[in-house]
Amino acid sequence: MNDIRARLLAAFDLEHKEHLAAIREALRAVEKDPAHHPDLVEIHRRAHSLKGAARAVDLPEVERLSHWLEAAFIAIQRGTVPFDAAARDVVRRALDAIEDVVAWATRGGGEVDIAEVLAELTRMGGEGGGPEPVQRRPSPGASPAAPAADAARDAAPTAAPRRAQTAGPAENAALVRIRATGLERLFTAAAGLLPEIENQSALVAELRELRGEWRALERSWHAMRPRLLRGSHDAAGSGATSFAGDETALRLSSFDRRFRALGASLDAAHRAHDRHLWSLRRWGSGFQDEVRQLRMLPAESQFSNLGRMIRDISRAQGKEVEADIRGLETQADRVVLQRLKDPVLHIARNAVSHGVETPQERVAAGKRAAATVRFEASVVGRRLVLRIEDDGRGPNRAAIARHAVERGLLGADEAEAAPEERLLDLIFEPGFSTAPTANEYAGRGMGLAIVRREVTRLQGSVTLAAREGGGTVVTVEVPLSLLSQRLVFVAVQDDILAIPSNDVARVLRVPADTLFTDLAAPTIRLEEDVPVTPLSALLGYDGAMPQGNGAPLALVILRTAGRRVALVVDALMATRDSVVTPAEEVGIDAARFLGTVLMDDGSPALVLNPAALSPRPGMALPPLVRPVDESERRRPHILVVDDSITTRTLEKSILEAHGYRVTLCVDGREAVETLGELEDVNLIISDVEMPRMDGFALLQAVKGNPMTSDLPVILVTSRASDEDRERGLDLGADAYIVKTRFDQNELLAGIRRLL
């Protein structure tokens, strides 16, 4: 029975939203055009249907509200109650109360006080006589007086709805409780499965190459074997023993059998691998899709109480706000939705606190007294798009420009001429607020900065714009899922980098002389003019890009936050699904990099954060060709010593991205030999635990040599004990960084201090 009730509640949850949305749409139509005549019969029908549905799932508070809402519309139909602003306000608050009660009854939270709105509905519906009172069937064992008591209760307001009963875990065999950590490990395993299956393609190529080599050897063998046999017989006939000839023939025959068996085994292995790879791809991709669906939840799981929160804040501030919540059925990764909850709540609070005016101000401005804050979730491509808009006063361009000048973000002339897009982007700067005073809801200037930081960590973007017709629109775009992602791999100088394909509009190769270079920035003409800039320059690498010689340029057209930019790379490598290890887990700058992925050789590639690559509005792009200044200070040269290829490559990528030259060594002995060959090393970064010569021995060798004793050395190691730290510092280490607490900012700060 409880399972049936759970299904009924789920059906009612969808049905009541449909009825509420239709009635609210009718209210908005009247407020937009006072001459509009709504279909009161249809509205009455929806209120009646809502009452019946609430009775079926035993939600008496919703039933009473719907009963008197129906009575109110009967009174309006009869003409005894005008459908004026006051009546519409009562209806709107009744709809909000119904939504809040359903949310409380099914998902918990604070209790909902419906007494006041129920009393107002009763006064409206009482004037029209109202429909027939709600009658209840007596429950088994109830006294004869129970129906009368229920009917009396239906006509009286109440202040505390009761929670809907739900099926317990033991009563619903379709549900299984498991640990969240175990589920996350399953997700991670599934995310890593498909890329590993795809990596088997390299083995297919190797097997094919081996088969080709074997075929070539087989042809050579077939050509050589008759001559070898004739040679052995000739040797036997010219005086050699027949035993020697027979032995040679036997050896050749044995070799021939083993050679053919090897070929047959190679063919069989290739065919078996093809079959297994096909099965792995079939079942592996299906498994990953099923696991991905386990992570997908409707937006309602996190934003179901958003409308109630908006109404509570507006009432606390003496404002009238209608919450229009749409697209809650949109599904996305559970982790993505959880991490977006706080940013969305803050944006909604800002909309009410900063955007919406008081009823008096709105009426004076020719607006209706009640404002609207709309939240809408949707899916565009493989991205989740959240849109929060209000019809309030909109961004104050003058106040933003004035505050930007006061904080030194813009000069006075620059602020006056700045495009609106650039000014609005400043709102996301930490501490930036145009509010005259701060309160418990907003005004400190940190909220939107935190919103952008969290959205950026989700590999997304957030933009703010003025709404057409007045108000503000904030748009958040993030990937639907954080499991394995499709990445575009590119080469930039000596590094392989990856860019999420969701942010790549297209890749192409064009001759350099096809660019328009007589504009403010080099531009390529596609569907629109797109500025062109080297990715190496955005990342701080040295080196100029070739231009003007007709050589083809490899371009990645990046699309983030509604803007496009063409990035010049050295080569377009590949596109494949990979598991991204988050930046926080490997200690790299999350503002510039999303994390790392492992390449086929076990080395990591940095995954770039497209939001950080896309230039802010008004920012000048680095030029395609940078004049070479011979007097420019030479880049510092750093020697990185570590036996782990992953650590070496990661540190090299970080250091080169910050303008350093890097030489790699696998242990202390190679480092000592390299120091004897190079004269321009400025600093050493070394691990401690290495074969042949460890970091402590290397440190002693460096500090004990008069030629290198002044060379700064930073030890980066997993040894975290005080004894190891003291030993390293006593031997002359200039800094000691523990890998378990590795912070790239700490490393870079130490390098800058020592150099």
Side-chain angles (χ1 to χ4, degrees), residues 142 189 231 322 336 340 343 351 371 494 585 624 632 642 681 686 700 723:
E322 176 185 344
V336 172
L340 283 177
D494 295 329
E585 294 185 20
L624 264 185
E632 182 184 26
D642 200 300
V681 174
S686 176
Q700 286 180 304
E723 292 80 5

Side-chain angles (χ1 to χ4, degrees), residues 153-332:
R153 183 186 62 189
D154 288 333
T158 185
R162 56 191 173 88
R163 184 81 56 86
Q165 297 178 353
T166 57
E171 298 168 334
N172 193 344
L175 300 179
V176 178
R177 180 176 295 177
I178 63 174
R179 293 182 182 273
T181 53
L183 191 59
E184 289 299 327
R185 286 196 296 269
L186 175 63
F187 294 153
T188 302
L193 177 62
L194 192 58
E196 290 303 318
I197 292 174
E198 291 303 321
N199 288 341
Q200 295 297 309
S201 298
L203 182 56
V204 171
E206 292 179 12
L207 286 172
R208 186 178 294 113
E209 185 176 349
L210 285 174
R211 290 181 70 194
E213 290 293 330
W214 186 87
R215 297 297 185 197
L217 287 173
E218 184 184 35
R219 288 192 295 271
S220 298
W221 168 244
H222 286 163
M224 293 172 55
R225 185 172 182 274
R227 290 197 294 269
L228 290 172
L229 288 173
R230 282 197 302 270
S232 65
H233 292 314
D234 292 343
S238 62
T241 64
S242 61
F243 176 78
D246 292 341
E247 183 180 8
T248 301
L250 288 173
R251 288 182 180 275
L252 289 176
S253 179
S254 175
F255 178 82
D256 185 67
R257 287 195 304 271
R258 296 176 67 181
F259 187 72
R260 291 178 183 277
L262 175 63
S265 298
L266 188 59
D267 286 341
H270 192 206
R271 289 193 298 271
H273 185 268
D274 278 346
R275 289 195 303 271
H276 294 157
L277 181 58
W278 180 85
S279 297
L280 282 173
R281 283 175 172 168
R282 176 188 176 191
W283 296 110
S285 60
F287 173 62
Q288 191 186 44
D289 289 341
E290 291 296 330
V291 171
R292 182 180 284 113
Q293 287 304 314
L294 286 177
R295 286 181 67 113
M296 303 296 277
L297 290 176
E300 184 180 24
S301 63
Q302 297 298 321
F303 305 122
S304 59
N305 292 325
L306 181 59
R308 183 177 178 183
M309 186 211 75
I310 291 172
R311 292 189 289 272
D312 289 345
I313 294 176
S314 63
R315 289 166 189 160
Q317 298 185 15
K319 299 177 179 179
E320 296 181 19
V321 178
E322 176 185 344
D324 184 9
I325 312 298
R326 305 184 179 189
L328 291 183
E329 72 282 357
T330 301
Q331 293 199 338

